[in-house]
Amino acid sequence: MTSVEIIALVISIIGAVSAICAIVAFFINRGKDKYERGDADGSMRGDIKYMRNSVDDMRLDVKEVARKQDALGERLIRVEESTKSAHKRIDTIEKEIHRKEDN
């Protein structure tokens, strides 16, 4: 073998090794891409689940506030009725006092 043939053979071997390394790197990186996409997808699903739970908690809080507001409204109506009744009794007592003063 001549030196030119040896150099050509070495260059061919280097080219073949480079091609094999490129193919192996492609398959390794393809697997990593799938893993990273799956990781990102799982993270996003977790975030969405957290937000869904937070919204559900807020709905429960809003319902509780609405119930309390309704209860306070009912109490306010009763207090207003009681106040109206008390004013009528006070007016009656004032009229009696004025009659006694006039006599």
Side-chain angles (χ1 to χ4, degrees), residues 9-50:
L9 182 62
V10 170
I11 290 173
S12 297
I13 292 173
I14 290 173
V17 170
S18 296
I20 292 171
C21 287
I23 292 170
V24 169
F26 170 76
F27 283 110
I28 290 172
N29 286 334
R30 189 174 73 170
K32 284 182 184 177
D33 289 342
K34 286 181 182 179
Y35 174 78
E36 289 172 359
R37 279 186 283 171
D39 187 38
D41 185 44
S43 176
M44 189 181 307
R45 287 175 190 252
D47 291 343
I48 290 171
K49 186 175 180 179
Y50 174 76

Side-chain angles (χ1 to χ4, degrees), residues 2-3 5-6 8 25 30 33 35-36 41 45-47 56 59 61-63 69 79 83 86 90 92 99-100:
T2 65
S3 63
E5 290 174 340
I6 293 174
R30 189 174 73 170
D33 289 342
Y35 174 78
E36 289 172 359
D41 185 44
R45 287 175 190 252
D47 291 343
D56 290 343
R59 283 182 187 163
D61 291 344
V62 168
K63 284 181 182 179
Q69 187 177 8
V79 167
T83 303
I90 291 170
T92 304
R99 275 192 228 151
K100 288 182 181 178

Side-chain angles (χ1 to χ4, degrees), residues 80 82-94:
E80 287 174 343
S82 175
T83 303
K84 192 183 291 186
S85 174
H87 278 289
K88 286 181 183 179
R89 289 192 305 265
I90 291 170
D91 289 342
T92 304
I93 292 171
E94 285 179 345

